[in-house]
């Protein structure tokens, strides 16, 4: 699994002109899933995401997690994180998992985040044409891949 985590002041997902979900201060997490991914990958990334200390403490040092600041989390599926761009200029999506693998694993990841966060995680809609709006705070953007844990 690959994720892109952005520390945000606010974020929202709009589908067909209607806001499906929105958050205030917290994390926007874009998630891509490949065929080899398992619940173990989702568990590892969920724990890393919730424990990531990227919010400022009283001294202005990134020393607090999203739970420490009572922040919110939004997760949006993003199969394009598995784009292959080595040949030509048109990306290939062959490494992205099929729906029968990615949908249950996406839902599992969101549920794990919710349990660790202690509140509901907001989401987009898997496979929908979404308009994602956010104010990146910092900016702080971190990429993680469960197949590259070092």
């Amino acid at each position: 699994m690959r994720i892109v985590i952005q520390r945000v002041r606010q974020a929202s997902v709009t589908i067909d002109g209607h806001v499906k979900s929105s958050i205030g201060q917290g994390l926007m997490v874009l998630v891509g899933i490949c065929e080899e991914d398992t619940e173990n990958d989702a568990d590892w990334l969920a724990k890393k995401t919730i424990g990531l200390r990227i919010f400022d403490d009283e001294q202005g040092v990134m020393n607090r997690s999203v739970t420490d600041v009572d922040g919110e989390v939004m997760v949006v599926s993003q199969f394009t994180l598995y784009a292959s761009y080595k040949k030509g200029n048109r990306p290939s999506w062959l490494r992205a998992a099929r729906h029968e693998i990615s949908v249950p694993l996406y839902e599992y990841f969101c549920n794990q985040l919710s349990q660790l966060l202690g509140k509901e995680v907001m989401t987009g809609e898997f496979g929908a044409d979404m308009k994602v709006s956010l104010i990146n705070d910092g900016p702080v953007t971190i990429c993680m891949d469960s197949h590259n844990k070092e």
Side-chain angles (χ1 to χ4, degrees), residues 50-58 61-69:
I50 296 301
L52 199 60
R53 297 183 336 186
I54 58 172
F55 292 89
D56 293 347
D57 63 15
E58 297 81 19
V61 176
M62 283 193 232
N63 203 27
R64 291 189 169 164
S65 69
V66 67
T67 55
D68 294 334
V69 298

Side-chain angles (χ1 to χ4, degrees), residues 21 25 27-28 36 38 59 77 84 92 111 120 137 141-142 150:
S21 58
Q25 178 188 29
L27 302 173
M28 163 63 79
E36 301 87 43
T38 67
Q59 288 76 38
S77 62
S84 175
S92 166
N111 287 333
E120 183 181 4
D137 184 14
T141 303
I142 297 175
E150 297 179 20

